[in-house]
Amino acid sequence: VQLQASGGGLVQNGGSLTLSCAVSGGTFSTYDMGWFRQSPEKEREFVATIRWSGGYKYYADSVKGRFTISGDRAKNTVNLQMNNLKAEDTAVYYCAAATRRWALSAIRSTGPYDYWGQGTQVTVSS
C-alpha cells in the first residue's frame, strides 16, 4: 500500500486548504483512513478518520466544525477540507491507512495505522 499526500501550503489565518491522499496498491474500501499532524517538538496527533463501512467519521475536538474528511472510492483518494485555519493548525499533515479492523475507539490513535504517507506541510500565518 502506498499513500501520497498533497495539497499543503501557506495560508493566512482564517483561510482554507484541502489536503488529498492518493491510495494505491491495496483494497482501499476496506481500510480505515486517517489524518494526523505533527508540529515541531510535539508528538503526532490525531486529526480525523473515516471508516467506509458504516460511514463513521471522527474528528479531534480541536478541528471539529472546521475540518471535514471525505473519500472518493472511484479515485481512491481521501480528502481533508480545512476551513477557518488557525496558527495552531500549522504542522506537517500525514495520511495513514489501517488495513486491519480495529475497534472504533482505537482508530483515533496512531497504533492501528500500518501505512503512512510522506506528509505535507501546512503553515498558517497570523
Side-chain angles (χ1 to χ4, degrees):
V1 178
Q2 293 184 330
L3 308 179
Q4 181 72 38
S6 61
L10 175 64
V11 64
Q12 289 187 336
N13 190 41
S16 298
L17 279 175
T18 299
L19 305 183
S20 183
C21 178
V23 184
S24 61
T27 311
F28 172 67
S29 61
T30 65
Y31 302 159
D32 294 326
M33 297 297 301
W35 284 97
F36 292 77
R37 66 187 182 187
Q38 189 168 17
S39 49
E41 302 179 355
K42 290 188 178 180
E43 292 186 354
R44 192 166 297 188
E45 65 174 0
F46 168 75
V47 175
T49 188
I50 183 169
R51 170 170 289 183
W52 299 116
S53 60
Y56 294 107
K57 297 179 181 181
Y58 294 99
Y59 299 92
D61 288 342
S62 59
V63 307
K64 203 171 293 183
R66 299 187 298 123
F67 290 12
T68 301
I69 189 170
S70 64
D72 186 331
R73 294 192 191 190
K75 296 181 179 179
N76 275 14
T77 58
V78 178
N79 299 320
L80 185 69
Q81 172 69 41
M82 306 185 294
N83 297 326
N84 190 22
L85 283 161
K86 306 175 181 179
E88 51 262 42
D89 295 317
T90 295
V92 177
Y93 284 70
Y94 298 89
C95 62
T99 60
R100 303 175 189 176
R101 184 49 54 93
W102 291 75
L104 288 173
S105 60
I107 59 173
R108 283 167 273 187
S109 61
T110 58
Y113 295 87
D114 39 4
Y115 293 95
W116 292 82
Q118 84 287 3
T120 184
Q121 176 71 47
V122 172
T123 303
V124 184
S125 63
S126 56

